[in-house]
C-alpha cells in the first residue's frame, strides 16, 4: 500500500528518550515502514502547554536539531522535502518522504518573525494551538475558550503569505471559525475525527468538516481510541463509522490519515505502523480500492502540490 500520514509525535519521543528514528521501540520507526510501496510521513514537533515565550522557541529548536540529525543519518532512505515538486521527485526515485510540522504555534515564542525562520527551516505545517491557551488562540480543552488573538490573526496572515499550511486540530471551535474568516488559503485538520460519531472536543463538527471540504482542505483520521469511541480501547473497525460519515458529508477528496503514533495509545489491533496495512485492507473491504487509496495516500499527496518553494 501507499501511505501518507499527516501526524505523528515520533520526533518528540525520540528527542525526549534519546532514541533513533531508524530503529526504536516506539509506535513508528523508519525501519518498520520500509515495506510500504510509497510512504510520506509528516513529523510534528510538539509544544507542551507549559512552554511559552522564548523557552518555547528554544525547545522547538532543540527538538528540530535532533530530528534533522536523525533524518540526515537516514538520507539514503528518506528525503526531507519542502515542496510538492520535491515530494513527487523523491517518490519517483523510490525514496520515502519526510515533511516537517510544528504542533502548537507557541513555538513562535510570541514573535511573528519566527514564522519565516520556521519556514526557512523547512516547517510546512503548523497546528495553531495544542490543548491550552497560547499567544495565538485557545485550544479545545481550555475553559471558556476564545478565538484567535490579534497576534493569532497576524500569524494566520503570515502563514498564508509564506505558504505554511494552517492545521486546526486541537483548536477550540471559536478559533476554528476565526480561521475560516481570516485565512484565504486552504487549511487542514491533521488528526481529528467526527464529533457526530464520538462527541469529544478534539473532533470536528459536521459544519466544520463541511467547511474544510468547501475550502478543499484535508482531515486526517486519528487512531487514538478516545477520539474513536470515547474509551481507552478501540478496534480499527470502529474508525469506519467516522469515515463513512465524512464520506456522506462529501469528504471523498478530503479524508486522509493522521495516525497520532507516539502521541497517543493505539487500538489493540493497530498498535504500531506495521499494522497500518491491516487497516488499509479493512478499508478496501468496505469502500473499495479507489476510495481507500485516496484516504491512505492520494488526497494528501494532491493537497501537498500547493506547497511550493
Ligand atoms: Zn495532537
Amino acid at each position: 500500500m501507499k501511505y501518507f500520514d499527516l501526524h505523528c509525535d515520533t520526533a518528540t519521543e525520540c528527542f525526549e528518550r534519546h532514541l533513533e528514528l531508524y530503529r526504536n521501540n516506539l509506535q513508528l520507526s523508519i525501519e518498520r515502514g520500509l515495506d510500504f510501496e510509497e510512504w510520506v510521513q509528516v513529523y510534528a514537533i510538539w509544544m507542551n502547554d507549559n512552554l511559552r515565550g522564548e523557552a518555547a522557541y528554544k525547545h522547538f529548536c532543540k527538538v528540530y536539531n535532533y530530528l534533522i540529525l536523525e533524518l540526515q543519518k537516514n538520507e539514503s532512505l528518506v528525503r526531507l522535502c519542502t515542496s510538492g515538486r520535491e515530494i513527487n521527485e523523491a517518490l519517483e526515485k523510490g525514496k520515502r518522504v519526510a515533511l516537517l510540522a510544528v504542533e502548537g504555534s507557541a513555538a513562535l515564542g510570541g514573535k511573528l518573525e519566527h514564522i519565516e525562520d520556521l519556514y526557512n527551516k523547512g516547517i510546512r505545517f503548523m497546528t495553531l494551538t495544542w490543548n491550552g491557551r497560547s499567544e495565538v488562540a485557545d485550544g479545545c480543552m481550555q475553559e471558556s475558550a476564545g478565538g484567535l488573538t490579534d497576534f493569532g490573526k497576524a500569524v494566520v496572515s503570515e502563514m498564508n503569505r509564506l505558504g505554511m499550511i494552517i492545521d486546526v486540530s486541537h483548536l477550540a471551535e471559536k478559533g476554528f471559525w476565526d480561521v475560516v474568516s481570516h485565512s484565504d488559503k486552504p487549511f487542514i485538520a491533521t488528526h481529528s475525527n467526527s464529533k457526530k460519531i464520538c462527541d469529544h472536543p478534539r473532533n470536528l463538527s459536521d459544519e466544520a468538516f463541511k467547511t474544510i471540504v468547501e475550502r478543499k482542505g484535508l482531515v486526517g483520521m486519528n487512531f487514538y481510541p478516545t477520539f474513536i469511541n470515547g474509551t481507552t480501547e478501540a478496534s480499527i473497525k470502529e474508525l469506519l463509522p467516522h469515515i463513512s460519515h465524512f464520506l456522506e458529508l462529501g469528504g471523498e477528496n478530503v479524508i486522509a490519515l493522521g495516525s497520532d503514533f507516539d502521541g497517543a495509545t493505539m487500538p489493540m489491533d493497530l498498535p504500531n505502523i506495521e499494522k497500518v496495512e491491516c487497516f488499509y485492507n479493512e478499508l478496501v473491504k468496505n469502500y473499495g480500492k479507489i476510495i481507500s487509496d485516496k484516504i491512505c495516500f492520494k488526497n494528501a499527496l494532491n493537497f501537498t502540490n500547493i506547497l511550493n518553494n
Side-chain angles (χ1 to χ4, degrees):
M1 70 172 287
K2 297 181 182 183
Y3 180 45
F4 195 132
D5 181 9
L6 290 168
H7 186 83
C8 76
D9 288 299
T10 309
T12 298
E13 281 297 296
C14 283
F15 168 80
E16 282 175 0
R17 295 156 69 171
H18 307 288
L19 298 172
E20 297 199 315
L21 210 51
Y22 181 77
R23 180 173 295 168
N24 60 49
N25 56 357
L26 300 174
Q27 292 164 352
L28 187 153
S29 62
I30 291 171
E31 184 182 31
R32 287 173 293 164
L34 293 178
D35 285 345
F36 291 120
E37 190 185 340
E38 292 187 350
W39 177 23
V40 182
Q41 182 65 51
V42 181
Y43 290 94
I45 295 169
W46 172 61
M47 305 306 298
N48 199 338
D49 279 326
N50 58 17
L51 287 163
R52 291 294 179 263
E54 195 58 20
Y57 176 71
K58 282 192 175 143
H59 180 76
F60 159 79
C61 290
K62 272 195 231 166
V63 182
Y64 171 83
N65 290 336
Y66 191 89
L67 176 58
I68 291 295
L69 285 176
E70 283 301 310
L71 287 171
Q72 279 169 357
K73 285 200 255 171
N74 292 285
E75 61 192 0
S76 61
L77 297 169
V78 181
R79 183 157 162 210
L80 171 58
C81 295
T82 55
S83 70
R85 185 180 48 80
E86 282 181 1
I87 296 169
N88 290 311
E89 278 174 12
L91 293 174
E92 271 165 32
K93 286 183 184 145
K95 306 270 188 204
R96 295 87 194 160
V97 170
L99 299 171
L100 303 186
V102 166
E103 183 171 27
S105 60
L108 301 172
K111 289 187 180 153
L112 204 59
E113 60 269 28
H114 279 328
I115 302 179
E116 195 154 351
D117 171 50
L118 265 56
Y119 187 86
N120 291 337
K121 285 179 156 75
I123 306 293
R124 288 296 178 272
F125 306 85
M126 186 157 66
T127 316
L128 292 181
T129 64
W130 196 54
N131 288 334
R133 176 165 291 168
S134 74
E135 294 95 339
V136 170
D138 285 348
C140 64
M141 304 307 276
Q142 177 70 39
E143 245 175 78
S144 46
L148 290 174
T149 60
D150 286 344
F151 176 68
K153 288 170 191 167
V155 167
V156 164
S157 302
E158 181 66 355
M159 288 176 73
N160 279 177
R161 185 184 75 79
L162 289 166
M164 190 187 284
I165 309 300
I166 294 167
D167 178 4
V168 298
S169 282
H170 287 279
L171 189 59
E173 190 90 20
K174 253 192 186 160
F176 177 91
W177 295 108
D178 281 349
V179 169
V180 173
S181 342
H182 286 88
S183 176
D184 50 24
K185 297 271 174 69
F187 56 88
I188 68 179
T190 55
H191 57 307
S192 297
N193 297 338
S194 163
K195 206 174 256 184
K196 182 78 176 278
I197 307 297
C198 175
D199 189 9
H200 190 286
R202 274 283 286 104
N203 287 340
L204 295 168
S205 69
D206 285 2
E207 293 68 31
F209 182 80
K210 283 192 276 186
T211 304
I212 295 177
V213 172
E214 279 163 26
R215 296 288 189 96
K216 301 194 187 314
L218 282 179
V219 174
M221 306 309 301
N222 192 316
F223 300 160
Y224 182 35
T226 304
F227 305 156
I228 291 177
N229 63 17
T231 76
T232 52
E233 274 189 26
S235 73
I236 49 176
K237 271 191 183 160
E238 290 176 89
L239 193 48
L240 302 187
H242 293 265
I243 293 172
S244 297
H245 183 61
F246 280 161
L247 284 169
E248 279 163 22
L249 297 179
E252 186 175 331
N253 299 319
V254 164
I255 307 168
L257 301 179
S259 68
D260 222 348
F261 281 137
D262 296 313
T265 56
M266 287 290 132
M268 44 209 169
D269 48 359
L270 185 48
N272 57 49
I273 190 167
E274 280 171 301
K275 292 283 190 245
V276 170
E277 187 98 32
C278 301
F279 177 60
Y280 172 74
N281 293 338
E282 197 61 40
L283 289 179
V284 173
K285 245 194 276 169
N286 283 272
Y287 307 110
K289 191 171 181 321
I290 292 173
I291 288 181
S292 304
D293 288 346
K294 283 185 172 190
I295 293 171
C296 293
F297 191 75
K298 278 191 185 144
N299 287 342
L301 186 72
N302 285 344
F303 181 87
T304 48
N305 279 321
I306 70 167
L307 292 173
N308 48 30
N309 57 358

CSV table of all heavy atoms in Angstrom, one decimal, residues 1 236 240 275-289 292 296:
chain,number,residue,atom,x,y,z
A,1,MET,N,0.8,-1.2,0.0
A,1,MET,CA,0.0,0.0,0.0
A,1,MET,C,0.9,1.3,0.0
A,1,MET,O,2.0,1.2,0.4
A,1,MET,CB,-0.9,0.0,1.3
A,1,MET,CG,-0.1,0.3,2.5
A,1,MET,SD,-1.2,0.6,4.0
A,1,MET,CE,-1.8,2.2,3.8
A,236,ILE,N,-9.7,-1.2,15.1
A,236,ILE,CA,-9.6,-0.3,13.9
A,236,ILE,C,-11.0,-0.2,13.1
A,236,ILE,O,-11.3,0.8,12.5
A,236,ILE,CB,-8.5,-0.8,12.9
A,236,ILE,CG1,-8.6,-2.3,12.6
A,236,ILE,CG2,-7.2,-0.4,13.4
A,236,ILE,CD1,-7.6,-2.8,11.6
A,240,LEU,N,-14.3,3.1,11.2
A,240,LEU,CA,-15.0,3.2,9.9
A,240,LEU,C,-16.3,4.0,10.0
A,240,LEU,O,-16.6,4.8,9.0
A,240,LEU,CB,-15.4,1.7,9.4
A,240,LEU,CG,-14.2,0.8,9.2
A,240,LEU,CD1,-14.6,-0.5,8.6
A,240,LEU,CD2,-13.1,1.5,8.3
A,275,LYS,N,1.1,-2.4,11.4
A,275,LYS,CA,-0.3,-2.9,11.3
A,275,LYS,C,-1.2,-2.0,10.4
A,275,LYS,O,-2.4,-2.2,10.2
A,275,LYS,CB,-1.0,-3.1,12.6
A,275,LYS,CG,-0.3,-4.2,13.4
A,275,LYS,CD,-0.8,-5.6,12.9
A,275,LYS,CE,-0.4,-6.6,13.9
A,275,LYS,NZ,0.6,-7.6,13.3
A,276,VAL,N,-0.6,-0.9,9.9
A,276,VAL,CA,-1.4,0.0,9.0
A,276,VAL,C,-1.9,-0.7,7.8
A,276,VAL,O,-3.1,-0.4,7.3
A,276,VAL,CB,-0.5,1.3,8.6
A,276,VAL,CG1,-1.3,2.1,7.6
A,276,VAL,CG2,-0.3,2.1,9.8
A,277,GLU,N,-1.2,-1.7,7.3
A,277,GLU,CA,-1.6,-2.4,6.1
A,277,GLU,C,-2.9,-3.2,6.4
A,277,GLU,O,-3.8,-3.3,5.6
A,277,GLU,CB,-0.5,-3.4,5.8
A,277,GLU,CG,-0.7,-4.2,4.5
A,277,GLU,CD,0.0,-3.6,3.3
A,277,GLU,OE1,1.1,-3.1,3.4
A,277,GLU,OE2,-0.6,-3.7,2.2
A,278,CYS,N,-3.1,-3.7,7.7
A,278,CYS,CA,-4.3,-4.4,8.0
A,278,CYS,C,-5.5,-3.4,8.0
A,278,CYS,O,-6.6,-3.7,7.6
A,278,CYS,CB,-4.2,-5.0,9.5
A,278,CYS,SG,-2.9,-6.1,9.7
A,279,PHE,N,-5.2,-2.2,8.5
A,279,PHE,CA,-6.3,-1.1,8.4
A,279,PHE,C,-6.6,-0.8,7.0
A,279,PHE,O,-7.8,-0.7,6.6
A,279,PHE,CB,-5.8,0.1,9.1
A,279,PHE,CG,-6.7,1.3,9.1
A,279,PHE,CD1,-8.0,1.2,9.6
A,279,PHE,CD2,-6.3,2.5,8.5
A,279,PHE,CE1,-8.9,2.2,9.6
A,279,PHE,CE2,-7.2,3.5,8.4
A,279,PHE,CZ,-8.5,3.4,9.0
A,280,TYR,N,-5.6,-0.8,6.1
A,280,TYR,CA,-5.9,-0.5,4.7
A,280,TYR,C,-6.8,-1.6,4.1
A,280,TYR,O,-7.7,-1.3,3.4
A,280,TYR,CB,-4.5,-0.4,4.0
A,280,TYR,CG,-4.7,-0.3,2.5
A,280,TYR,CD1,-5.1,0.8,1.8
A,280,TYR,CD2,-4.3,-1.4,1.7
A,280,TYR,CE1,-5.3,0.9,0.4
A,280,TYR,CE2,-4.5,-1.4,0.3
A,280,TYR,CZ,-4.9,-0.2,-0.3
A,280,TYR,OH,-5.1,-0.2,-1.7
A,281,ASN,N,-6.4,-2.9,4.4
A,281,ASN,CA,-7.2,-4.0,3.9
A,281,ASN,C,-8.7,-3.9,4.4
A,281,ASN,O,-9.6,-4.2,3.6
A,281,ASN,CB,-6.6,-5.3,4.4
A,281,ASN,CG,-5.2,-5.6,3.7
A,281,ASN,OD1,-4.9,-5.0,2.7
A,281,ASN,ND2,-4.4,-6.4,4.4
A,282,GLU,N,-8.9,-3.5,5.6
A,282,GLU,CA,-10.2,-3.3,6.1
A,282,GLU,C,-11.0,-2.2,5.3
A,282,GLU,O,-12.1,-2.3,5.0
A,282,GLU,CB,-10.1,-2.9,7.6
A,282,GLU,CG,-11.3,-3.0,8.4
A,282,GLU,CD,-11.9,-4.4,8.5
A,282,GLU,OE1,-11.1,-5.4,8.6
A,282,GLU,OE2,-13.1,-4.6,8.5
A,283,LEU,N,-10.2,-1.1,5.0
A,283,LEU,CA,-10.8,0.0,4.2
A,283,LEU,C,-11.2,-0.5,2.8
A,283,LEU,O,-12.3,-0.3,2.4
A,283,LEU,CB,-9.8,1.1,4.1
A,283,LEU,CG,-9.5,2.0,5.3
A,283,LEU,CD1,-8.5,3.1,4.9
A,283,LEU,CD2,-10.8,2.6,5.8
A,284,VAL,N,-10.3,-1.3,2.2
A,284,VAL,CA,-10.6,-1.8,0.9
A,284,VAL,C,-11.9,-2.7,0.9
A,284,VAL,O,-12.7,-2.6,0.0
A,284,VAL,CB,-9.4,-2.6,0.3
A,284,VAL,CG1,-9.8,-3.3,-1.0
A,284,VAL,CG2,-8.2,-1.7,0.1
A,285,LYS,N,-12.0,-3.5,1.9
A,285,LYS,CA,-13.2,-4.4,2.1
A,285,LYS,C,-14.5,-3.5,2.1
A,285,LYS,O,-15.5,-3.9,1.6
A,285,LYS,CB,-13.1,-5.2,3.4
A,285,LYS,CG,-12.9,-6.7,3.1
A,285,LYS,CD,-13.2,-7.4,4.4
A,285,LYS,CE,-11.9,-7.5,5.3
A,285,LYS,NZ,-12.2,-8.0,6.6
A,286,ASN,N,-14.4,-2.4,2.8
A,286,ASN,CA,-15.6,-1.6,3.0
A,286,ASN,C,-15.9,-0.5,1.9
A,286,ASN,O,-17.0,-0.2,1.7
A,286,ASN,CB,-15.5,-0.9,4.4
A,286,ASN,CG,-15.8,-1.9,5.5
A,286,ASN,OD1,-17.0,-2.1,5.9
A,286,ASN,ND2,-14.8,-2.6,6.0
A,287,TYR,N,-14.8,0.0,1.4
A,287,TYR,CA,-15.0,1.2,0.5
A,287,TYR,C,-14.5,1.0,-0.9
A,287,TYR,O,-14.6,1.8,-1.8
A,287,TYR,CB,-14.4,2.5,1.1
A,287,TYR,CG,-14.9,2.8,2.5
A,287,TYR,CD1,-14.0,2.6,3.5
A,287,TYR,CD2,-16.2,3.2,2.7
A,287,TYR,CE1,-14.4,2.9,4.8
A,287,TYR,CE2,-16.6,3.4,4.0
A,287,TYR,CZ,-15.7,3.3,5.1
A,287,TYR,OH,-16.1,3.5,6.3
A,288,GLY,N,-13.8,-0.2,-1.2
A,288,GLY,CA,-13.1,-0.4,-2.4
A,288,GLY,C,-11.8,0.2,-2.5
A,288,GLY,O,-11.4,1.0,-1.7
A,289,LYS,N,-11.0,-0.1,-3.6
A,289,LYS,CA,-9.6,0.3,-3.6
A,289,LYS,C,-9.5,1.8,-4.0
A,289,LYS,O,-8.6,2.5,-3.4
A,289,LYS,CB,-8.9,-0.6,-4.7
A,289,LYS,CG,-7.4,-0.4,-4.7
A,289,LYS,CD,-6.7,-1.4,-5.6
A,289,LYS,CE,-5.2,-1.3,-5.6
A,289,LYS,NZ,-4.6,0.1,-5.6
A,292,SER,N,-10.1,3.9,-0.9
A,292,SER,CA,-9.1,3.6,0.2
A,292,SER,C,-7.8,4.2,-0.2
A,292,SER,O,-7.1,4.7,0.7
A,292,SER,CB,-9.0,2.1,0.3
A,292,SER,OG,-10.3,1.5,0.6
A,296,CYS,N,-5.7,6.8,2.1
A,296,CYS,CA,-4.4,6.5,2.7
A,296,CYS,C,-3.3,7.2,2.1
A,296,CYS,O,-2.2,7.3,2.6
A,296,CYS,CB,-4.2,5.0,2.6
A,296,CYS,SG,-5.3,4.0,3.6
